Amino acid sequence: MSKALDGVRILDFTHVQSGPTCTQLLGWFGADVIKVERAGEGDATRGQLRDIPDVDSLYFTMLNHNKRSITLDTKNPKGKAVLETLIKECDVLVENFAPGALDRMGFTWERIQELNPRMIVASVKGFGPGPYEDCKVYENVAQCAGGAASTTGFDDGPPLVTGAQIGDSGTGLHLALGIVAALYQRNTTGRGQKVMAAMQDAVINLCRVKLRDQQRLDRTQVLKEYPQYPDSEFGQAVPRAGNASGGGQPGWILKCKGWETDPNSYIYFITQAPVWGAICKVIGQEDWITDPLYATPAARLPHLKSIFERIEQWTMTKTKFEAMDILNKFDIPCGPILSMKEIADEPSLRATGTIVEVDHPKRGKYLTVGNPIKLSDSETEVTRSPLLGEHTDEVLGQLGYSPKDIADLRAEKVI
Ligand code: COA
């Protein structure tokens, strides 16, 4: 079967998480991804959070599937010459160095355009133009500067970061879309272009509903679906909403049977208006169907807390999976709080290729997250991450370097 991005060559100059998630996606769609790393050390994540001595970490392996790895000292003149050849041969250069690093290496946008006017240069940076544009940025910095931390957590606690890597992987996704759009536009213009995704911008985009709420708050001084309503005062800025739903249907996380010993024995429960009658019947509170204090969404808003306490009396009599089965029969939207262990063991996620077992020559078998985007005509096969420099000879050979040239470059520590 052909792949969506067959024939597209990616010069992958990325490291850590944000850039590698982007190029991994492109690899899953069939692009030939050539990852350029420094000889000896490679991507810093190869050695970070190791669970097996001297073996590429899961951090690295899980972000670098479907790629080839070459080592190259791109600050050495001979290494620069190899990079120039790669730039001429590839369609897209993806990088997430600290601001200015590519320019300092001598590969400005102008120079890259001279070498290959069709080249798309895609970058992740922490911030776009402005006061912080020169700053180095990691995941949680982006979560904080992008509005996620100030709106996550409980009202009486500090700002919180989330485990979902919205700053890194979230930005990688945004960048991948920008690259595919630029490749599409190149079909008509014949030209490359710069694609830039700032981590702060990506997080702000993912926090769009909180900017919605800021403007609602500015106008009305109240957010009635937030847990602060009606007992506490609202301040100037959108407060942390605990587990309240971000949409128009109130929701909360409720305890289920076994919560005393299992930290994940909880369910997310949404009191969607069209199934209010069914909810009342399931929990044995039929009088709420007609009681004017409960019968309409607006009437329920001032006492959502006590409503959820009552529903929780019912959920606590069921495991999260029993509750799911019963509630789904009535189309009541809800979701179990799944632990990573439960996700790893879930057969349906294995069947769809969302969780994949991969074999690695040094680490053996491990689990990874496969391609979350399914294309019916471009099936994803997840292949293991490359060892450092595993494909240096193969790639240089394809670029026209002879075995002797390659041996000389190796002797001079350029590769
Ligand atoms: N050969 C020679 N030099 C190389 C090289 C190679 N193959 N690959 C990288 N380098 C050099 C770079 O040119 C740079 O040199 P310089 O500082 O002298 O210009 C140097 O290695 C380090 O690059 P840098 O990006 O500064 O790495 P860092 O480890 O200091 O910082 C980040 C890491 C992630 C903080 C930084 O890259 C960053 O802010 N990136 C943008 C935002 C981002 O993607 N953050 C999320 C990461 S998940």
PDB file of all heavy atoms in Angstrom, residues 298-334:
ATOM      1  N   ALA A 298     -30.705  25.833  33.604  1.00  0.00           N
ATOM      2  CA  ALA A 298     -30.475  27.098  34.322  1.00  0.00           C
ATOM      3  C   ALA A 298     -30.813  26.944  35.802  1.00  0.00           C
ATOM      4  O   ALA A 298     -30.102  27.470  36.672  1.00  0.00           O
ATOM      5  CB  ALA A 298     -31.328  28.208  33.698  1.00  0.00           C
ATOM      6  N   ALA A 299     -31.888  26.205  36.110  1.00  0.00           N
ATOM      7  CA  ALA A 299     -32.270  26.020  37.514  1.00  0.00           C
ATOM      8  C   ALA A 299     -31.231  25.186  38.260  1.00  0.00           C
ATOM      9  O   ALA A 299     -31.023  25.364  39.463  1.00  0.00           O
ATOM     10  CB  ALA A 299     -33.641  25.326  37.578  1.00  0.00           C
ATOM     11  N   ARG A 300     -30.547  24.295  37.537  1.00  0.00           N
ATOM     12  CA  ARG A 300     -29.578  23.407  38.204  1.00  0.00           C
ATOM     13  C   ARG A 300     -28.263  24.114  38.528  1.00  0.00           C
ATOM     14  O   ARG A 300     -27.564  23.728  39.467  1.00  0.00           O
ATOM     15  CB  ARG A 300     -29.300  22.182  37.316  1.00  0.00           C
ATOM     16  CG  ARG A 300     -30.492  21.257  37.170  1.00  0.00           C
ATOM     17  CD  ARG A 300     -30.096  19.913  36.585  1.00  0.00           C
ATOM     18  NE  ARG A 300     -29.863  19.894  35.151  1.00  0.00           N
ATOM     19  CZ  ARG A 300     -30.807  19.791  34.208  1.00  0.00           C
ATOM     20  NH1 ARG A 300     -32.087  19.724  34.561  1.00  0.00           N
ATOM     21  NH2 ARG A 300     -30.488  19.751  32.932  1.00  0.00           N
ATOM     22  N   LEU A 301     -27.918  25.138  37.737  1.00  0.00           N
ATOM     23  CA  LEU A 301     -26.582  25.740  37.873  1.00  0.00           C
ATOM     24  C   LEU A 301     -26.236  26.181  39.302  1.00  0.00           C
ATOM     25  O   LEU A 301     -25.117  25.922  39.764  1.00  0.00           O
ATOM     26  CB  LEU A 301     -26.423  26.931  36.908  1.00  0.00           C
ATOM     27  CG  LEU A 301     -26.163  26.556  35.444  1.00  0.00           C
ATOM     28  CD1 LEU A 301     -26.139  27.810  34.572  1.00  0.00           C
ATOM     29  CD2 LEU A 301     -24.859  25.786  35.285  1.00  0.00           C
ATOM     30  N   PRO A 302     -27.147  26.814  40.049  1.00  0.00           N
ATOM     31  CA  PRO A 302     -26.741  27.267  41.393  1.00  0.00           C
ATOM     32  C   PRO A 302     -26.466  26.124  42.371  1.00  0.00           C
ATOM     33  O   PRO A 302     -25.840  26.347  43.391  1.00  0.00           O
ATOM     34  CB  PRO A 302     -27.958  28.089  41.871  1.00  0.00           C
ATOM     35  CG  PRO A 302     -28.762  28.379  40.656  1.00  0.00           C
ATOM     36  CD  PRO A 302     -28.501  27.282  39.697  1.00  0.00           C
ATOM     37  N   HIS A 303     -26.968  24.906  42.101  1.00  0.00           N
ATOM     38  CA  HIS A 303     -26.647  23.835  43.050  1.00  0.00           C
ATOM     39  C   HIS A 303     -26.052  22.595  42.389  1.00  0.00           C
ATOM     40  O   HIS A 303     -26.354  21.463  42.735  1.00  0.00           O
ATOM     41  CB  HIS A 303     -27.843  23.463  43.956  1.00  0.00           C
ATOM     42  CG  HIS A 303     -29.168  23.533  43.268  1.00  0.00           C
ATOM     43  ND1 HIS A 303     -30.148  24.421  43.642  1.00  0.00           N
ATOM     44  CD2 HIS A 303     -29.670  22.847  42.235  1.00  0.00           C
ATOM     45  CE1 HIS A 303     -31.191  24.260  42.846  1.00  0.00           C
ATOM     46  NE2 HIS A 303     -30.923  23.312  42.005  1.00  0.00           N
ATOM     47  N   LEU A 304     -25.163  22.852  41.444  1.00  0.00           N
ATOM     48  CA  LEU A 304     -24.479  21.735  40.773  1.00  0.00           C
ATOM     49  C   LEU A 304     -23.708  20.875  41.777  1.00  0.00           C
ATOM     50  O   LEU A 304     -23.656  19.652  41.662  1.00  0.00           O
ATOM     51  CB  LEU A 304     -23.491  22.269  39.730  1.00  0.00           C
ATOM     52  CG  LEU A 304     -24.071  22.694  38.382  1.00  0.00           C
ATOM     53  CD1 LEU A 304     -22.966  23.228  37.490  1.00  0.00           C
ATOM     54  CD2 LEU A 304     -24.785  21.518  37.698  1.00  0.00           C
ATOM     55  N   LYS A 305     -23.116  21.556  42.787  1.00  0.00           N
ATOM     56  CA  LYS A 305     -22.275  20.821  43.753  1.00  0.00           C
ATOM     57  C   LYS A 305     -23.116  19.744  44.445  1.00  0.00           C
ATOM     58  O   LYS A 305     -22.712  18.571  44.500  1.00  0.00           O
ATOM     59  CB  LYS A 305     -21.710  21.816  44.775  1.00  0.00           C
ATOM     60  CG  LYS A 305     -20.575  21.266  45.579  1.00  0.00           C
ATOM     61  CD  LYS A 305     -19.781  22.418  46.209  1.00  0.00           C
ATOM     62  CE  LYS A 305     -18.755  21.891  47.183  1.00  0.00           C
ATOM     63  NZ  LYS A 305     -19.290  21.693  48.522  1.00  0.00           N
ATOM     64  N   SER A 306     -24.286  20.130  44.930  1.00  0.00           N
ATOM     65  CA  SER A 306     -25.099  19.140  45.648  1.00  0.00           C
ATOM     66  C   SER A 306     -25.691  18.109  44.681  1.00  0.00           C
ATOM     67  O   SER A 306     -25.877  16.942  45.027  1.00  0.00           O
ATOM     68  CB  SER A 306     -26.202  19.828  46.458  1.00  0.00           C
ATOM     69  OG  SER A 306     -27.067  20.509  45.590  1.00  0.00           O
ATOM     70  N   ILE A 307     -25.906  18.508  43.428  1.00  0.00           N
ATOM     71  CA  ILE A 307     -26.393  17.536  42.433  1.00  0.00           C
ATOM     72  C   ILE A 307     -25.327  16.455  42.209  1.00  0.00           C
ATOM     73  O   ILE A 307     -25.611  15.259  42.213  1.00  0.00           O
ATOM     74  CB  ILE A 307     -26.764  18.250  41.109  1.00  0.00           C
ATOM     75  CG1 ILE A 307     -28.031  19.083  41.304  1.00  0.00           C
ATOM     76  CG2 ILE A 307     -26.932  17.251  39.966  1.00  0.00           C
ATOM     77  CD1 ILE A 307     -28.399  19.973  40.129  1.00  0.00           C
ATOM     78  N   PHE A 308     -24.087  16.916  42.031  1.00  0.00           N
ATOM     79  CA  PHE A 308     -23.029  15.927  41.803  1.00  0.00           C
ATOM     80  C   PHE A 308     -22.797  15.071  43.053  1.00  0.00           C
ATOM     81  O   PHE A 308     -22.473  13.883  42.949  1.00  0.00           O
ATOM     82  CB  PHE A 308     -21.734  16.606  41.337  1.00  0.00           C
ATOM     83  CG  PHE A 308     -21.774  16.992  39.872  1.00  0.00           C
ATOM     84  CD1 PHE A 308     -21.618  18.310  39.468  1.00  0.00           C
ATOM     85  CD2 PHE A 308     -21.997  16.030  38.895  1.00  0.00           C
ATOM     86  CE1 PHE A 308     -21.685  18.656  38.128  1.00  0.00           C
ATOM     87  CE2 PHE A 308     -22.059  16.365  37.547  1.00  0.00           C
ATOM     88  CZ  PHE A 308     -21.901  17.686  37.159  1.00  0.00           C
ATOM     89  N   GLU A 309     -22.994  15.653  44.245  1.00  0.00           N
ATOM     90  CA  GLU A 309     -22.855  14.838  45.470  1.00  0.00           C
ATOM     91  C   GLU A 309     -23.904  13.723  45.486  1.00  0.00           C
ATOM     92  O   GLU A 309     -23.621  12.595  45.873  1.00  0.00           O
ATOM     93  CB  GLU A 309     -22.994  15.726  46.709  1.00  0.00           C
ATOM     94  CG  GLU A 309     -21.706  16.457  47.040  1.00  0.00           C
ATOM     95  CD  GLU A 309     -21.898  17.569  48.066  1.00  0.00           C
ATOM     96  OE1 GLU A 309     -23.018  17.744  48.589  1.00  0.00           O
ATOM     97  OE2 GLU A 309     -20.912  18.277  48.319  1.00  0.00           O
ATOM     98  N   ARG A 310     -25.092  14.048  45.022  1.00  0.00           N
ATOM     99  CA  ARG A 310     -26.161  13.037  44.997  1.00  0.00           C
ATOM    100  C   ARG A 310     -25.848  11.960  43.951  1.00  0.00           C
ATOM    101  O   ARG A 310     -26.041  10.761  44.204  1.00  0.00           O
ATOM    102  CB  ARG A 310     -27.506  13.736  44.682  1.00  0.00           C
ATOM    103  CG  ARG A 310     -28.669  12.795  44.448  1.00  0.00           C
ATOM    104  CD  ARG A 310     -29.043  12.002  45.704  1.00  0.00           C
ATOM    105  NE  ARG A 310     -30.016  10.948  45.416  1.00  0.00           N
ATOM    106  CZ  ARG A 310     -29.701   9.718  44.997  1.00  0.00           C
ATOM    107  NH1 ARG A 310     -28.439   9.371  44.839  1.00  0.00           N
ATOM    108  NH2 ARG A 310     -30.652   8.832  44.757  1.00  0.00           N
ATOM    109  N   ILE A 311     -25.386  12.394  42.791  1.00  0.00           N
ATOM    110  CA  ILE A 311     -25.052  11.400  41.742  1.00  0.00           C
ATOM    111  C   ILE A 311     -23.905  10.512  42.238  1.00  0.00           C
ATOM    112  O   ILE A 311     -23.873   9.301  41.996  1.00  0.00           O
ATOM    113  CB  ILE A 311     -24.686  12.113  40.412  1.00  0.00           C
ATOM    114  CG1 ILE A 311     -25.884  12.917  39.893  1.00  0.00           C
ATOM    115  CG2 ILE A 311     -24.249  11.098  39.358  1.00  0.00           C
ATOM    116  CD1 ILE A 311     -25.581  13.807  38.698  1.00  0.00           C
ATOM    117  N   GLU A 312     -22.979  11.136  42.988  1.00  0.00           N
ATOM    118  CA  GLU A 312     -21.833  10.366  43.492  1.00  0.00           C
ATOM    119  C   GLU A 312     -22.274   9.270  44.486  1.00  0.00           C
ATOM    120  O   GLU A 312     -21.640   8.210  44.551  1.00  0.00           O
ATOM    121  CB  GLU A 312     -20.833  11.316  44.156  1.00  0.00           C
ATOM    122  CG  GLU A 312     -19.501  10.666  44.459  1.00  0.00           C
ATOM    123  CD  GLU A 312     -18.478  11.683  44.938  1.00  0.00           C
ATOM    124  OE1 GLU A 312     -18.749  12.362  45.949  1.00  0.00           O
ATOM    125  OE2 GLU A 312     -17.425  11.809  44.296  1.00  0.00           O
ATOM    126  N   GLN A 313     -23.353   9.539  45.212  1.00  0.00           N
ATOM    127  CA  GLN A 313     -23.850   8.468  46.105  1.00  0.00           C
ATOM    128  C   GLN A 313     -24.159   7.220  45.285  1.00  0.00           C
ATOM    129  O   GLN A 313     -23.978   6.098  45.743  1.00  0.00           O
ATOM    130  CB  GLN A 313     -25.129   8.928  46.824  1.00  0.00           C
ATOM    131  CG  GLN A 313     -24.889   9.928  47.927  1.00  0.00           C
ATOM    132  CD  GLN A 313     -26.217  10.465  48.465  1.00  0.00           C
ATOM    133  OE1 GLN A 313     -27.296   9.954  48.164  1.00  0.00           O
ATOM    134  NE2 GLN A 313     -26.119  11.520  49.255  1.00  0.00           N
ATOM    135  N   TRP A 314     -24.646   7.448  44.046  1.00  0.00           N
ATOM    136  CA  TRP A 314     -24.944   6.299  43.168  1.00  0.00           C
ATOM    137  C   TRP A 314     -23.649   5.720  42.571  1.00  0.00           C
ATOM    138  O   TRP A 314     -23.446   4.512  42.609  1.00  0.00           O
ATOM    139  CB  TRP A 314     -25.894   6.741  42.052  1.00  0.00           C
ATOM    140  CG  TRP A 314     -26.211   5.626  41.093  1.00  0.00           C
ATOM    141  CD1 TRP A 314     -27.150   4.650  41.268  1.00  0.00           C
ATOM    142  CD2 TRP A 314     -25.564   5.350  39.843  1.00  0.00           C
ATOM    143  NE1 TRP A 314     -27.125   3.772  40.203  1.00  0.00           N
ATOM    144  CE2 TRP A 314     -26.158   4.186  39.310  1.00  0.00           C
ATOM    145  CE3 TRP A 314     -24.538   5.959  39.123  1.00  0.00           C
ATOM    146  CZ2 TRP A 314     -25.770   3.622  38.089  1.00  0.00           C
ATOM    147  CZ3 TRP A 314     -24.143   5.406  37.908  1.00  0.00           C
ATOM    148  CH2 TRP A 314     -24.757   4.251  37.409  1.00  0.00           C
ATOM    149  N   THR A 315     -22.764   6.590  42.035  1.00  0.00           N
ATOM    150  CA  THR A 315     -21.554   6.049  41.376  1.00  0.00           C
ATOM    151  C   THR A 315     -20.689   5.276  42.374  1.00  0.00           C
ATOM    152  O   THR A 315     -20.012   4.321  42.000  1.00  0.00           O
ATOM    153  CB  THR A 315     -20.703   7.159  40.701  1.00  0.00           C
ATOM    154  OG1 THR A 315     -20.358   8.149  41.684  1.00  0.00           O
ATOM    155  CG2 THR A 315     -21.430   7.818  39.555  1.00  0.00           C
ATOM    156  N   MET A 316     -20.748   5.665  43.658  1.00  0.00           N
ATOM    157  CA  MET A 316     -19.931   4.968  44.653  1.00  0.00           C
ATOM    158  C   MET A 316     -20.406   3.541  44.910  1.00  0.00           C
ATOM    159  O   MET A 316     -19.706   2.743  45.521  1.00  0.00           O
ATOM    160  CB  MET A 316     -19.901   5.757  45.971  1.00  0.00           C
ATOM    161  CG  MET A 316     -18.933   6.938  45.899  1.00  0.00           C
ATOM    162  SD  MET A 316     -19.145   8.106  47.251  1.00  0.00           S
ATOM    163  CE  MET A 316     -18.554   7.182  48.629  1.00  0.00           C
ATOM    164  N   THR A 317     -21.582   3.208  44.388  1.00  0.00           N
ATOM    165  CA  THR A 317     -22.067   1.828  44.556  1.00  0.00           C
ATOM    166  C   THR A 317     -21.654   0.956  43.362  1.00  0.00           C
ATOM    167  O   THR A 317     -21.964  -0.232  43.319  1.00  0.00           O
ATOM    168  CB  THR A 317     -23.608   1.787  44.667  1.00  0.00           C
ATOM    169  OG1 THR A 317     -24.177   2.214  43.411  1.00  0.00           O
ATOM    170  CG2 THR A 317     -24.101   2.678  45.793  1.00  0.00           C
ATOM    171  N   LYS A 318     -20.998   1.540  42.385  1.00  0.00           N
ATOM    172  CA  LYS A 318     -20.604   0.811  41.164  1.00  0.00           C
ATOM    173  C   LYS A 318     -19.112   1.016  40.897  1.00  0.00           C
ATOM    174  O   LYS A 318     -18.564   2.066  41.230  1.00  0.00           O
ATOM    175  CB  LYS A 318     -21.361   1.375  39.932  1.00  0.00           C
ATOM    176  CG  LYS A 318     -22.870   1.478  40.094  1.00  0.00           C
ATOM    177  CD  LYS A 318     -23.548   0.141  39.852  1.00  0.00           C
ATOM    178  CE  LYS A 318     -25.045   0.218  40.022  1.00  0.00           C
ATOM    179  NZ  LYS A 318     -25.512   0.187  41.416  1.00  0.00           N
ATOM    180  N   THR A 319     -18.473   0.011  40.259  1.00  0.00           N
ATOM    181  CA  THR A 319     -17.121   0.279  39.778  1.00  0.00           C
ATOM    182  C   THR A 319     -17.249   1.230  38.591  1.00  0.00           C
ATOM    183  O   THR A 319     -18.344   1.373  38.021  1.00  0.00           O
ATOM    184  CB  THR A 319     -16.410  -1.005  39.299  1.00  0.00           C
ATOM    185  OG1 THR A 319     -17.055  -1.460  38.099  1.00  0.00           O
ATOM    186  CG2 THR A 319     -16.433  -2.102  40.362  1.00  0.00           C
ATOM    187  N   LYS A 320     -16.138   1.826  38.185  1.00  0.00           N
ATOM    188  CA  LYS A 320     -16.222   2.779  37.066  1.00  0.00           C
ATOM    189  C   LYS A 320     -16.692   2.073  35.786  1.00  0.00           C
ATOM    190  O   LYS A 320     -17.386   2.679  34.967  1.00  0.00           O
ATOM    191  CB  LYS A 320     -14.889   3.492  36.848  1.00  0.00           C
ATOM    192  CG  LYS A 320     -13.710   2.597  36.517  1.00  0.00           C
ATOM    193  CD  LYS A 320     -12.394   3.379  36.553  1.00  0.00           C
ATOM    194  CE  LYS A 320     -11.200   2.469  36.377  1.00  0.00           C
ATOM    195  NZ  LYS A 320      -9.927   3.122  36.615  1.00  0.00           N
ATOM    196  N   PHE A 321     -16.343   0.802  35.642  1.00  0.00           N
ATOM    197  CA  PHE A 321     -16.755   0.088  34.424  1.00  0.00           C
ATOM    198  C   PHE A 321     -18.229  -0.315  34.495  1.00  0.00           C
ATOM    199  O   PHE A 321     -18.939  -0.264  33.486  1.00  0.00           O
ATOM    200  CB  PHE A 321     -15.852  -1.132  34.191  1.00  0.00           C
ATOM    201  CG  PHE A 321     -14.413  -0.733  33.977  1.00  0.00           C
ATOM    202  CD1 PHE A 321     -13.427  -1.092  34.882  1.00  0.00           C
ATOM    203  CD2 PHE A 321     -14.039   0.035  32.883  1.00  0.00           C
ATOM    204  CE1 PHE A 321     -12.106  -0.704  34.694  1.00  0.00           C
ATOM    205  CE2 PHE A 321     -12.726   0.432  32.681  1.00  0.00           C
ATOM    206  CZ  PHE A 321     -11.755   0.060  33.594  1.00  0.00           C
ATOM    207  N   GLU A 322     -18.690  -0.702  35.688  1.00  0.00           N
ATOM    208  CA  GLU A 322     -20.129  -0.997  35.843  1.00  0.00           C
ATOM    209  C   GLU A 322     -20.943   0.266  35.568  1.00  0.00           C
ATOM    210  O   GLU A 322     -21.968   0.240  34.871  1.00  0.00           O
ATOM    211  CB  GLU A 322     -20.424  -1.493  37.267  1.00  0.00           C
ATOM    212  CG  GLU A 322     -19.930  -2.901  37.547  1.00  0.00           C
ATOM    213  CD  GLU A 322     -19.914  -3.250  39.047  1.00  0.00           C
ATOM    214  OE1 GLU A 322     -20.163  -2.364  39.899  1.00  0.00           O
ATOM    215  OE2 GLU A 322     -19.621  -4.403  39.353  1.00  0.00           O
ATOM    216  N   ALA A 323     -20.483   1.377  36.121  1.00  0.00           N
ATOM    217  CA  ALA A 323     -21.198   2.645  35.907  1.00  0.00           C
ATOM    218  C   ALA A 323     -21.226   2.994  34.422  1.00  0.00           C
ATOM    219  O   ALA A 323     -22.271   3.397  33.885  1.00  0.00           O
ATOM    220  CB  ALA A 323     -20.531   3.766  36.709  1.00  0.00           C
ATOM    221  N   MET A 324     -20.097   2.804  33.742  1.00  0.00           N
ATOM    222  CA  MET A 324     -20.039   3.067  32.289  1.00  0.00           C
ATOM    223  C   MET A 324     -21.104   2.256  31.553  1.00  0.00           C
ATOM    224  O   MET A 324     -21.830   2.778  30.700  1.00  0.00           O
ATOM    225  CB  MET A 324     -18.668   2.638  31.732  1.00  0.00           C
ATOM    226  CG  MET A 324     -17.584   3.661  31.820  1.00  0.00           C
ATOM    227  SD  MET A 324     -17.883   5.083  30.797  1.00  0.00           S
ATOM    228  CE  MET A 324     -17.529   4.477  29.164  1.00  0.00           C
ATOM    229  N   ASP A 325     -21.172   0.961  31.868  1.00  0.00           N
ATOM    230  CA  ASP A 325     -22.125   0.079  31.174  1.00  0.00           C
ATOM    231  C   ASP A 325     -23.551   0.565  31.365  1.00  0.00           C
ATOM    232  O   ASP A 325     -24.326   0.655  30.409  1.00  0.00           O
ATOM    233  CB  ASP A 325     -22.021  -1.362  31.714  1.00  0.00           C
ATOM    234  CG  ASP A 325     -20.774  -2.044  31.182  1.00  0.00           C
ATOM    235  OD1 ASP A 325     -20.176  -1.504  30.232  1.00  0.00           O
ATOM    236  OD2 ASP A 325     -20.397  -3.099  31.733  1.00  0.00           O
ATOM    237  N   ILE A 326     -23.890   0.887  32.603  1.00  0.00           N
ATOM    238  CA  ILE A 326     -25.276   1.308  32.887  1.00  0.00           C
ATOM    239  C   ILE A 326     -25.559   2.656  32.224  1.00  0.00           C
ATOM    240  O   ILE A 326     -26.571   2.829  31.531  1.00  0.00           O
ATOM    241  CB  ILE A 326     -25.503   1.395  34.412  1.00  0.00           C
ATOM    242  CG1 ILE A 326     -25.334   0.002  35.041  1.00  0.00           C
ATOM    243  CG2 ILE A 326     -26.874   1.992  34.732  1.00  0.00           C
ATOM    244  CD1 ILE A 326     -25.232  -0.002  36.558  1.00  0.00           C
ATOM    245  N   LEU A 327     -24.675   3.610  32.399  1.00  0.00           N
ATOM    246  CA  LEU A 327     -24.926   4.970  31.901  1.00  0.00           C
ATOM    247  C   LEU A 327     -24.983   5.011  30.375  1.00  0.00           C
ATOM    248  O   LEU A 327     -25.785   5.743  29.790  1.00  0.00           O
ATOM    249  CB  LEU A 327     -23.861   5.927  32.436  1.00  0.00           C
ATOM    250  CG  LEU A 327     -23.845   6.071  33.965  1.00  0.00           C
ATOM    251  CD1 LEU A 327     -22.615   6.806  34.439  1.00  0.00           C
ATOM    252  CD2 LEU A 327     -25.115   6.774  34.456  1.00  0.00           C
ATOM    253  N   ASN A 328     -24.147   4.204  29.738  1.00  0.00           N
ATOM    254  CA  ASN A 328     -24.128   4.226  28.274  1.00  0.00           C
ATOM    255  C   ASN A 328     -25.409   3.668  27.672  1.00  0.00           C
ATOM    256  O   ASN A 328     -25.789   4.054  26.554  1.00  0.00           O
ATOM    257  CB  ASN A 328     -22.901   3.491  27.748  1.00  0.00           C
ATOM    258  CG  ASN A 328     -21.727   4.446  27.648  1.00  0.00           C
ATOM    259  OD1 ASN A 328     -21.826   5.496  27.010  1.00  0.00           O
ATOM    260  ND2 ASN A 328     -20.634   4.131  28.319  1.00  0.00           N
ATOM    261  N   LYS A 329     -26.058   2.782  28.405  1.00  0.00           N
ATOM    262  CA  LYS A 329     -27.344   2.270  27.903  1.00  0.00           C
ATOM    263  C   LYS A 329     -28.348   3.415  27.738  1.00  0.00           C
ATOM    264  O   LYS A 329     -29.267   3.347  26.937  1.00  0.00           O
ATOM    265  CB  LYS A 329     -27.914   1.239  28.874  1.00  0.00           C
ATOM    266  CG  LYS A 329     -27.200  -0.092  28.779  1.00  0.00           C
ATOM    267  CD  LYS A 329     -28.005  -1.207  29.445  1.00  0.00           C
ATOM    268  CE  LYS A 329     -27.207  -2.491  29.437  1.00  0.00           C
ATOM    269  NZ  LYS A 329     -26.281  -2.632  30.569  1.00  0.00           N
ATOM    270  N   PHE A 330     -28.173   4.458  28.533  1.00  0.00           N
ATOM    271  CA  PHE A 330     -29.097   5.610  28.468  1.00  0.00           C
ATOM    272  C   PHE A 330     -28.475   6.807  27.727  1.00  0.00           C
ATOM    273  O   PHE A 330     -28.969   7.926  27.826  1.00  0.00           O
ATOM    274  CB  PHE A 330     -29.489   6.034  29.890  1.00  0.00           C
ATOM    275  CG  PHE A 330     -30.238   4.967  30.638  1.00  0.00           C
ATOM    276  CD1 PHE A 330     -29.574   4.116  31.512  1.00  0.00           C
ATOM    277  CD2 PHE A 330     -31.608   4.794  30.442  1.00  0.00           C
ATOM    278  CE1 PHE A 330     -30.261   3.120  32.197  1.00  0.00           C
ATOM    279  CE2 PHE A 330     -32.294   3.797  31.113  1.00  0.00           C
ATOM    280  CZ  PHE A 330     -31.619   2.953  31.991  1.00  0.00           C
ATOM    281  N   ASP A 331     -27.350   6.550  27.028  1.00  0.00           N
ATOM    282  CA  ASP A 331     -26.673   7.637  26.292  1.00  0.00           C
ATOM    283  C   ASP A 331     -26.231   8.776  27.200  1.00  0.00           C
ATOM    284  O   ASP A 331     -26.205   9.945  26.778  1.00  0.00           O
ATOM    285  CB  ASP A 331     -27.579   8.212  25.196  1.00  0.00           C
ATOM    286  CG  ASP A 331     -27.502   7.387  23.932  1.00  0.00           C
ATOM    287  OD1 ASP A 331     -26.560   6.586  23.822  1.00  0.00           O
ATOM    288  OD2 ASP A 331     -28.389   7.546  23.069  1.00  0.00           O
ATOM    289  N   ILE A 332     -25.911   8.460  28.442  1.00  0.00           N
ATOM    290  CA  ILE A 332     -25.426   9.503  29.362  1.00  0.00           C
ATOM    291  C   ILE A 332     -23.907   9.604  29.184  1.00  0.00           C
ATOM    292  O   ILE A 332     -23.187   8.634  29.392  1.00  0.00           O
ATOM    293  CB  ILE A 332     -25.785   9.139  30.822  1.00  0.00           C
ATOM    294  CG1 ILE A 332     -27.316   9.043  30.969  1.00  0.00           C
ATOM    295  CG2 ILE A 332     -25.193  10.151  31.798  1.00  0.00           C
ATOM    296  CD1 ILE A 332     -27.789   8.397  32.261  1.00  0.00           C
ATOM    297  N   PRO A 333     -23.419  10.783  28.762  1.00  0.00           N
ATOM    298  CA  PRO A 333     -21.982  10.881  28.467  1.00  0.00           C
ATOM    299  C   PRO A 333     -21.147  10.780  29.745  1.00  0.00           C
ATOM    300  O   PRO A 333     -21.379  11.514  30.715  1.00  0.00           O
ATOM    301  CB  PRO A 333     -21.822  12.278  27.848  1.00  0.00           C
ATOM    302  CG  PRO A 333     -23.204  12.801  27.637  1.00  0.00           C
ATOM    303  CD  PRO A 333     -24.122  12.054  28.552  1.00  0.00           C
ATOM    304  N   CYS A 334     -20.197   9.863  29.763  1.00  0.00           N
ATOM    305  CA  CYS A 334     -19.355   9.675  30.939  1.00  0.00           C
ATOM    306  C   CYS A 334     -18.072   8.981  30.490  1.00  0.00           C
ATOM    307  O   CYS A 334     -18.009   8.446  29.381  1.00  0.00           O
ATOM    308  CB  CYS A 334     -20.072   8.816  31.978  1.00  0.00           C
ATOM    309  SG  CYS A 334     -20.648   7.264  31.279  1.00  0.00           S
TER     310      CYS A 334
END
